[in-house]
Amino acid sequence: MNEAALRSLRIQLAGHRQQALERSRQRLVIGALVFAAATVVIGLRLMDLAVLKAIDRSAGRADIFATLRPPRADIIDRNGEVLATTLKVQALAVRPHRVIGDKEALARKIVEVLPHLDLDFVRRQLNSSAKFRYISRRLTPEQVSRINAIGEPGLEFQDEAERVYPNGVLASHVLGYTNIDGKGMAGIERSFDTRLTEESQLNKPLQLSIDVRVQHALEYELNAAMEKFSAIGAAGIILDVHTGELLAMASLPAFDPNAVSRTPSETWFNRATQGIYELGSTFKAFTTAMALEEGIVTLGKKYDVSAPLAIGRFRIRDTHPENRSMTVPEIFMHSSNIGTAQIALDVGPETQQAYMRRLGFLEPVHIELKESAQPMYPNPWGKASTMTISYGHGIAVTSLHLATGYATLVNGGVWRPATLMKIAPGTERSTGERIFSEETSKIMRQLMRLVVVQGTGKQANAPGYRIGGKTGTAEKPGVGGYQRKALITTFAGAFPMDDPRYVVIATLDEPKGIKETYGFATAGWNAAPAMKAIVQRVGPILGVEPNVNKDVDLSPLQRYIAG
């Protein structure tokens, strides 16, 4: 081979080597690009699983973040009975792009298992452009099993934390409820939302003062009274007079915190702490107590109640006029508006208002609930208001205000706020504020027992339980004035009155007269017998056994009572 041919061959080989190198570089570049693309795809997929999954689920509405619900501590009663707890449940969801079957047929199968769902809603979820949609929450194990049996890979289940109230409607206004995101919306659930979700407190149940047995008895008897007298509502309270602990607090009709959305919204209203009412003659106890405390009256002082008392263009009258002069015990026993108004005039507006303020009647009631209403009272507080307030008209407060006030009257004269928290045995109780002297409190216990033995509250007398208290009937205000046939009736009292332990309030909203009551619908005919029934049910539970050989000594009062 000559030199020219050899040179030509070398040039060709060099060209082949250059082409081979170029091809190798191209393959490397392509390989690198493929690898990079694969890395990006894998990264995006991981991101989809780890981050975008939550975002996808947020499409449509915020409440789908169920898996992010915070854990929540239990709520228990004073004896350790569970009132609210959290259970693990499952929700049904769909990833529409993964559904392989016929979506119309699938929608019908789902509704067959979950008949509470709207078929059009299910169709929209299955055909959504979103990657993830919820279909139904809070499935039962049976429903989960039946959905699983459909065999559709596009359907999946999500774990949820479900707040459960084992006793249903019992104490519903005390407990409140949580929303679908696990946030407390009312009652204790709302007031203690932070405490119940705090990580360090999750294993520590929140213990209430409520006794589930007492609560059940109270609600049962109030429901019975509502039904018997065709009332539209009721409220009841049982309170420890020395500690302020609420053993029971009821508002009826109640709602089921397990299914709030399926309960009429009007049942969410807490009549015991939000319902402000003129509570009628129950206020005569406070008028009498402040007059005794100030030394303005003695038991033997008499007032002329033989004629109506003028108040502007109105007249104050008695329901059952005695048409004579009466002593203080007689005025209280017979529930004389005329006599009580005259006592209040002697007390005076400033002193009366000062006592109302010290008793907490001019501000929302002290309690661990957000659902607490502002009382209504006159401004200015003049002579006319002083007279009507003396017998519970012209001032509107809650049943819980009344309960703490009556506890003050009978416990030796010390006001303490009510509480829904259990006070551990041996714990030093609140010193409270002294409103009345021991002597005034003693006289008030005698007077309240007198009302039940000889006065307007006879139907509250449960043998052996030594109940004392006061009836109260008030007309509800309406368009154009007060409604004569729309009444709020109340019995406020305590037992056993020789050594009071518990205050009981029983209030009925618009009770009707029946044949048994001769058509009357006042408190002595309905709230008083409800009080009797309640005490007879809860007395043994609370360790108060009937004793017919014990009673309040009423002899100091008898000499002031006419034949």
Side-chain angles (χ1 to χ4, degrees):
M1 183 178 291
N2 61 31
E3 186 176 347
L6 183 61
R7 187 182 301 115
S8 176
L9 180 59
R10 286 174 179 163
I11 291 172
Q12 290 179 18
L13 290 172
H16 287 309
R17 284 197 297 269
Q18 185 65 30
Q19 291 175 1
L21 286 171
E22 288 299 326
R23 285 195 295 271
S24 296
R25 288 194 190 98
Q26 290 173 2
R27 291 190 185 103
L28 286 171
V29 170
I30 292 170
L33 289 173
V34 171
F35 180 77
T39 302
V40 170
V41 171
I42 292 170
L44 288 174
R45 180 56 181 158
L46 289 173
M47 186 181 294
D48 176 63
L49 292 174
V51 179
L52 296 181
K53 183 177 180 180
I55 297 175
D56 290 340
R57 291 179 184 179
S58 67
R61 57 181 193 170
D63 69 4
I64 54 74
F65 284 95
T67 55
L68 301 182
R69 281 185 189 172
R72 202 169 183 87
D74 288 354
I75 301 174
I76 59 176
D77 86 335
R78 65 186 302 106
N79 300 311
E81 294 292 326
V82 175
L83 299 173
T85 190
T86 302
L87 300 178
K88 179 181 175 182
V89 295
Q90 290 186 305
L92 174 63
V94 63
R95 293 188 181 274
H97 60 287
R98 293 184 183 174
V99 175
I100 62 174
D102 179 73
K103 290 185 177 180
E104 177 62 25
L106 178 59
R108 293 184 180 279
K109 288 178 182 179
I110 291 172
V111 171
E112 185 179 339
V113 178
L114 305 172
H116 65 281
L117 295 179
D118 178 69
L119 181 59
D120 286 338
F121 167 77
V122 178
R123 286 179 180 134
R124 288 195 300 272
Q125 302 304 83
L126 295 180
N127 290 287
S128 172
S129 60
K131 293 182 180 179
F132 182 96
R133 300 296 290 179
Y134 270 100
I135 295 176
S136 186
R137 324 293 290 266
R138 305 171 181 174
L139 272 62
T140 66
E142 180 189 359
Q143 290 170 335
V144 170
S145 177
R146 292 179 64 189
I147 294 292
N148 258 327
I150 295 174
E152 171 54 62
L155 299 178
E156 59 182 65
F157 298 98
Q158 298 288 316
D159 288 339
E160 291 189 310
E162 172 77 359
R163 197 62 165 170
V164 176
Y165 304 88
N167 297 294
V169 301
L170 193 73
S172 57
H173 293 88
V174 172
L175 297 173
Y177 60 93
T178 60
N179 66 10
I180 201 164
D181 294 317
K183 180 177 176 60
M185 299 302 291
I188 290 294
E189 294 279 29
R190 179 186 177 194
S191 299
F192 288 86
D193 192 56
T194 301
R195 155 67 176 84
L196 291 166
T197 56
E198 189 176 340
E199 188 173 355
S200 62
Q201 300 292 317
L202 294 179
N203 293 322
K204 299 177 182 177
L206 181 64
Q207 189 163 36
L208 305 187
S209 58
I210 296 294
D211 186 320
V212 70
R213 304 167 301 170
V214 178
Q215 182 76 28
H216 181 271
L218 175 63
E219 292 192 21
Y220 179 90
E221 293 301 339
L222 285 177
N223 266 308
M226 275 183 63
E227 183 176 349
K228 180 174 182 178
F229 299 106
S230 301
I232 65 171
I237 289 167
I238 300 177
L239 178 141
D240 186 309
V241 303
H242 297 297
T243 66
E245 290 173 284
L246 284 159
L247 281 297
M249 182 167 69
S251 174
L252 300 177
F255 65 90
D256 187 351
N258 295 299
V260 178
S261 63
R262 295 196 293 273
T263 307
S265 58
E266 58 266 24
T267 64
W268 305 345
F269 182 75
N270 188 342
R271 293 172 181 269
T273 63
Q274 289 179 294
I276 54 171
Y277 307 105
E278 293 175 302
L279 294 174
S281 294
T282 59
F283 263 61
K284 290 172 181 173
F286 304 117
T287 302
T288 304
M290 65 181 73
L292 288 168
E293 185 69 17
E294 294 295 317
I296 291 168
V297 300
T298 61
L299 293 176
K301 186 172 182 177
K302 289 189 175 184
Y303 288 89
D304 182 6
V305 299
S306 60
L309 189 64
I311 175 172
R313 60 190 180 90
F314 298 102
R315 297 289 184 272
I316 294 175
R317 306 175 187 276
D318 285 342
T319 304
H320 305 289
E322 290 288 315
N323 300 316
R324 61 184 176 88
S325 292
M326 291 199 294
T327 63
V328 170
E330 289 176 320
I331 288 170
F332 193 72
M333 180 178 72
H334 294 295
S335 199
S336 170
N337 295 335
I338 299 169
T340 306
Q342 291 180 77
I343 293 173
L345 285 177
D346 286 347
V347 170
E350 291 184 3
T351 301
Q352 183 190 56
Q353 187 174 12
Y355 272 98
M356 292 291 132
R357 179 170 286 107
R358 293 174 67 196
L359 286 164
F361 290 171
L362 307 187
E363 61 186 28
V365 69
H366 293 260
I367 191 63
E368 298 93 344
L369 295 178
K370 305 285 187 183
E371 299 79 29
S372 181
Q374 170 66 45
M376 295 178 66
Y377 52 89
N379 185 18
W381 193 305
K383 177 180 175 182
S385 296
T386 299
M387 288 192 283
T388 60
I389 287 171
S390 74
Y391 54 86
H393 289 259
I395 186 170
V397 301
T398 70
S399 295
L400 190 52
H401 281 103
L402 191 64
T404 57
Y406 266 66
T408 306
L409 289 172
V410 304
N411 72 4
V414 178
W415 180 89
R416 292 186 181 88
T419 180
L420 281 164
M421 298 296 106
K422 180 181 179 179
I423 299 175
T427 303
E428 185 175 351
R429 71 188 183 198
S430 167
T431 55
E433 178 187 354
R434 178 162 292 284
I435 308 295
F436 304 112
S437 66
E438 290 277 3
E439 181 60 24
T440 296
S441 180
K442 177 183 177 181
I443 294 172
M444 291 311 302
R445 293 196 295 269
Q446 293 171 334
L447 288 171
M448 283 193 268
R449 179 61 178 149
L450 181 69
V451 167
V452 174
V453 175
Q454 295 179 236
T456 58
K458 291 177 184 177
Q459 293 203 54
N461 199 19
Y465 286 104
R466 293 96 72 200
I467 296 171
K470 186 73 186 73
T471 54
T473 302
E475 297 171 357
K476 293 172 68 174
V479 178
Y482 286 93
Q483 305 173 76
R484 295 193 62 183
K485 293 187 177 182
L487 304 177
I488 293 289
T489 64
T490 302
F491 191 96
F495 76 102
M497 199 51 86
D498 51 309
D499 184 18
R501 290 177 56 185
Y502 303 102
V503 157
V504 178
I505 306 294
T507 297
L508 296 175
D509 189 351
E510 296 190 24
K512 311 299 186 296
I514 58 176
K515 183 177 180 181
E516 183 182 326
T517 67
Y518 307 99
F520 293 111
T522 52
W525 292 100
N526 46 56
M531 172 77 171
K532 175 182 178 179
I534 291 167
V535 171
Q536 288 177 320
R537 282 285 299 274
V538 305
I541 298 172
L542 295 171
V544 181
E545 296 295 336
N547 188 338
V548 294
N549 297 316
K550 292 182 68 176
D551 211 330
V552 178
D553 180 12
L554 298 181
S555 59
L557 304 181
Q558 294 300 338
R559 60 182 175 142
Y560 303 113
I561 299 171

